[in-house]
Amino acid sequence: MDEKNNQKIGLALGSGGLRGLAHIGAIKVLLKNNIPIDYISGASVGALIGAFLATYGEVDSLEKLILENTKELLPLFFDVGKGGLISGDKISNFLEKSLGKIKFSETKIPLYVVSTDLISGQPIIFSSGKIIPAVRGSISVPIIFKPYSYQGKLLVDGGLSDPVPVNILKENGADKIVAINLYHKNEFKNKKFTVAKVALRSTRIALFNLAKISVNHADLVLNPDISCADKLKMKDYFKQENIKKIISIGEEETLRHLPEIKNLLI
């Protein structure tokens, strides 16, 4: 048997909010070039896109869904409940409409979703049961989303404990791992601060450094520079030209490293 076919490739999709659209571009390039994806892990937005890839084996339909429903996507992030936090009910409905009631055992590709338990502070890894509650918990960014109560835990953003979940893939059979880290050094060029920007920058610094630790055991790290997105207001993220730009950044970064990715198969 060809040795190339024996290498099991894991794809770790990192957290990073709406910048996660770059994951779509990266995955498109991998699939177009017949790079096998044998395992998927994801935190936060990486969990959402990873769930779609694991379920359908492609992301072209997800890209089409996003581009054709830009006006419907923005209200998902203004589903305000008690305490001024986003309740997430509309997003849960969107996930169920997009993914159905699929279970981890029914995916085309094995999937691992990382969330964080707000009570214990520990990462919670989901690989069985229903997928949507796991993803819903993983995307619950604190202060913005209401924490998600599930299986006796209070779940928040998976990126807080493991922003690019590499190790879970190593532990479950991946021989080589490609990690996509959405936190880039160019995000720290702006030197003008308001109180709000100081808080945002502080959080970003913590995630940037935690992500560097998370990817330590990856065989290849893709690091698309999406710092241009920091200039966008929330409503501008869902303009088609900006969606396409962020997706294209993921494509370009993956194409640059395609020879190295192919070498992982040898």
Side-chain angles (χ1 to χ4, degrees):
M1 183 180 293
D2 189 346
E3 186 180 356
K4 291 185 179 182
N5 294 329
N6 291 332
Q7 296 295 329
K8 297 294 184 182
I9 304 297
L11 180 63
L13 302 176
S15 63
L18 295 173
R19 292 170 298 165
L21 292 167
H23 287 321
I24 295 175
I27 293 166
K28 286 173 62 179
V29 171
L30 294 176
L31 295 179
K32 184 177 180 180
N33 288 276
N34 299 312
I35 305 299
I37 300 173
D38 300 292
Y39 304 93
I40 304 165
S41 65
S44 199
V45 67
L48 193 158
I49 293 173
F52 200 98
L53 173 61
T55 300
Y56 299 110
E58 49 85 16
V59 290
D60 289 340
S61 54
L62 176 59
E63 179 182 21
K64 182 179 179 182
L65 176 68
I66 293 170
L67 288 171
E68 291 182 352
N69 295 276
T70 54
K71 292 181 179 178
E72 287 73 29
L73 290 174
L74 185 58
L76 298 180
F77 295 88
F78 291 92
D79 179 19
V80 180
K82 293 181 180 179
L85 300 177
I86 297 174
S87 71
D89 292 342
K90 289 183 179 180
I91 285 184
S92 293
N93 292 336
F94 170 78
L95 290 173
E96 188 162 321
K97 183 178 179 181
S98 303
L99 297 171
K101 297 183 178 181
I102 191 167
K103 298 179 180 179
F104 282 88
S105 60
E106 299 170 333
T107 59
K108 294 179 183 293
I109 306 170
L111 172 68
Y112 302 88
V113 169
V114 178
S115 189
T116 304
D117 182 15
L118 187 63
I119 297 171
S120 69
Q122 296 299 307
I124 306 296
I125 298 168
F126 293 96
S127 59
S128 63
K130 296 179 180 179
I131 286 180
I132 289 177
V135 173
R136 172 64 186 83
S138 188
I139 64 173
S140 296
V141 180
I143 311 301
I144 298 175
F145 282 94
K146 180 181 177 182
Y148 185 63
S149 180
Y150 184 63
Q151 293 184 345
K153 295 178 174 60
L154 204 54
L155 301 177
V156 291
D157 192 342
L160 293 176
S161 54
D162 195 355
V164 195
V166 168
N167 287 342
I168 187 62
L169 297 176
K170 285 279 186 186
E171 293 165 4
N172 283 277
D175 298 306
K176 300 291 177 64
I177 296 174
V178 176
I180 304 179
N181 180 10
L182 300 177
Y183 300 105
H184 196 280
K185 62 182 180 180
N186 285 348
E187 295 175 10
F188 304 112
K189 288 186 174 181
N190 188 351
K191 298 179 181 179
K192 296 180 180 180
F193 298 105
T194 62
V195 172
K197 287 183 179 179
V198 167
L200 179 62
R201 173 67 66 87
S202 299
T203 302
R204 192 70 58 81
I205 288 170
L207 290 169
F208 174 79
N209 285 293
L210 184 57
K212 287 197 295 184
I213 297 171
S214 284
V215 300
N216 270 343
H217 294 104
D219 296 280
L220 181 70
V221 181
L222 302 178
N223 200 192
D225 180 4
I226 321 162
S227 55
C228 60
D230 288 345
K231 300 175 184 178
L232 299 176
K233 297 178 179 178
M234 174 69 82
K235 62 182 178 64
D236 293 329
Y237 268 103
F238 293 104
K239 290 182 178 178
Q240 283 200 0
E241 62 267 28
N242 292 326
I243 291 172
K244 291 178 180 179
K245 180 175 178 60
I246 296 174
I247 290 174
S248 71
I249 290 172
E251 290 176 328
E252 291 161 7
E253 172 72 1
T254 310
L255 284 169
R256 276 194 294 271
H257 292 277
L258 194 56
E260 299 166 66
I261 297 171
K262 289 182 176 180
N263 283 337
L264 295 180
L265 304 178
I266 298 174

